[in-house]
Amino acid sequence: MDFGLVLQTDPPASAVVGLMRRAERNGFRYGWTFDSAVLWQEPFVIYSRILEHTEKLIVGPMVTNPGTRTWEVTASTFATLNDMYGNRTVCGIGRGDSAMRVAGRKPNTLARLGEAMGVIRDLAEGREAVVDGQPLQLPWVRNGKLPVWMAAYGPKALALAGQQADGFILQLADPYLTASMVTAVRTAASDAGRDPDSITICVAAPAYVSDDLAHAREQCRWFGGMVGNHVADLVSRYGEHSDLVPEALTSYIKAREGYDYSHHGRAGNPSTDFVPDEIVDRFCLLGPAAAHIEKLTALRELGVDQFAVYNMHDAKEATIDAYGSEIIPALNR
């Protein structure tokens, strides 16, 4: 199993670079960041520094979207980093939550997302693609490689991930929901004539290694609120009791009363008081190292190829070190 570290690009950027270097030393293979231009610093600038100061770490956004930047700019940025540092990027992409809504825009449609994934991949790998009716090609790209991994929850998004993406990002670590969603992605891939095992499965969630479970929950409760944004979209689209969306995912947002993006992805977020302990425990990895190992083993048996640690709490360095000394070695013996 691979491991990734997910950070927000809060200033100073040097701290982000330092944590990524620490992660690589501890056996992490991927370095991810949020991508929301108003809330945090520009990640692609920081990727260049991370790549310069690490040896093999693969970097990318978790996740970008088709609306913040034009597609040829996104592709050119990835291709430039790959040319400088040797194909060490991955494009995590979704419809857009905070990046779009904070700027007063709606998340992108799945149709637009599907088109963008193909265009960005083709351009970044040196092939011609059509953007707004105009055939384009980056003439300087040589031997470019850009895997595109799609974040998804709902049935139509899961199907699109299976049909078109190189990888699937699931932003929660509940084994029951992971099993059903991985099955949906792989079924869609098979139905589209693709090898379902060729799709990389990445589960991303907060992890907090501690015997103080109550404190760990409070440090990670924000995640239930972030996931709740996407769940609310599903409920508005499919209904509260739809057979297409499992109740295990939707029932907890009944007490949700809006969301303040100024606290997005941060411990102590006041917009997440509605998130019960049960959801925090199910969606996150909490407790002593043995509990993390047990849950990660179950996820690996479900076909998860990578676990990406959301590291937004008061124990960033300690979490990286605990994973490096105890958890990553146990999963990769």
Side-chain angles (χ1 to χ4, degrees):
M1 178 181 269
D2 281 336
F3 288 83
L5 184 73
V6 190
L7 299 174
Q8 294 166 336
T9 51
D10 289 312
S14 59
V16 177
V17 176
L19 288 170
M20 291 297 187
R21 294 181 67 187
R22 190 184 196 113
E24 184 178 56
R25 292 195 300 269
N26 276 280
F28 289 78
R29 290 193 61 232
Y30 284 76
W32 302 92
T33 73
F34 281 30
D35 177 16
S36 190
V38 175
L39 297 178
W40 300 288
Q41 292 186 331
E42 172 54 40
F44 285 93
V45 177
I46 298 172
Y47 295 157
S48 188
R49 295 287 289 174
I50 294 170
L51 290 165
E52 181 181 1
H53 287 89
T54 55
E55 296 181 2
K56 296 181 180 179
L57 199 72
I58 298 167
V59 304
M62 189 175 283
V63 291
T64 193
N65 71 87
T68 302
R69 303 171 183 84
T70 60
W71 303 348
E72 68 272 19
V73 170
T74 299
S76 181
T77 305
F78 277 113
T80 301
L81 291 172
N82 283 337
D83 187 64
M84 293 172 67
Y85 299 105
N87 288 338
R88 289 170 55 199
T89 67
V90 56
C91 177
I93 194 167
R95 292 177 59 231
D97 178 30
S98 62
M100 298 297 287
R101 288 180 164 127
V102 167
R105 308 183 187 106
K106 294 181 179 180
N108 298 269
T109 65
L110 288 175
R112 180 172 172 82
L113 175 57
E115 183 182 0
M117 286 195 295
V119 167
I120 291 168
R121 183 196 293 115
D122 283 344
L123 289 175
E125 295 185 349
R127 295 183 294 277
E128 182 179 284
V130 177
V131 181
D132 295 330
Q134 179 68 33
L136 298 177
Q137 188 171 13
L138 305 181
W140 47 268
V141 173
R142 298 289 183 272
N143 302 314
K145 186 66 177 176
L146 182 65
V148 177
W149 295 9
M150 179 183 157
Y153 291 110
K156 292 182 179 179
L158 294 169
L160 179 61
Q163 292 158 3
Q164 296 190 28
D166 301 303
F168 163 50
I169 297 172
L170 175 58
Q171 292 166 310
L172 54 81
D174 176 70
Y176 170 77
L177 291 170
T178 298
S180 64
M181 292 183 183
V182 169
T183 297
V185 168
R186 288 186 164 154
T187 298
S190 181
D191 291 345
R194 305 180 69 199
D195 177 3
D197 293 329
S198 70
I199 300 174
T200 302
I201 306 297
C202 174
V203 161
Y208 199 105
V209 183
S210 173
D211 292 326
D212 187 346
L213 192 56
H215 181 72
R217 283 176 179 145
E218 290 311 310
Q219 287 294 304
C220 299
R221 195 175 305 276
W222 63 265
F223 184 66
M226 188 183 83
V227 173
N229 293 334
H230 302 286
V231 175
D233 286 344
L234 295 178
V235 170
S236 66
R237 178 183 293 267
Y238 297 105
E240 186 176 341
H241 302 292
S242 172
D243 291 337
L244 297 174
V245 182
E247 187 176 357
L249 182 61
T250 61
S251 61
Y252 84 97
I253 69 161
K254 292 177 181 178
R256 182 179 182 268
E257 297 179 353
Y259 190 82
D260 182 354
Y261 280 94
S262 65
H263 305 285
H264 188 57
R266 299 189 186 280
N269 185 339
S271 298
T272 61
D273 292 344
F274 70 93
V275 180
D277 288 350
E278 177 194 2
I279 287 293
V280 183
D281 293 348
R282 282 174 47 198
F283 285 9
C284 305
L285 275 80
L286 311 174
H292 292 244
I293 293 167
E294 180 181 5
K295 193 167 189 177
L296 288 166
T297 300
L299 291 170
R300 184 179 60 184
E301 290 173 355
L302 294 173
V304 174
D305 300 297
Q306 179 183 151
F307 177 61
V309 175
Y310 275 114
N311 204 29
M312 297 89 176
H313 47 57
D314 64 1
K316 294 181 178 67
E317 292 86 356
T319 298
I320 294 169
D321 293 346
Y323 264 71
S325 63
E326 298 181 74
I327 297 166
I328 293 176
L331 268 293
N332 289 330
R333 287 195 184 108

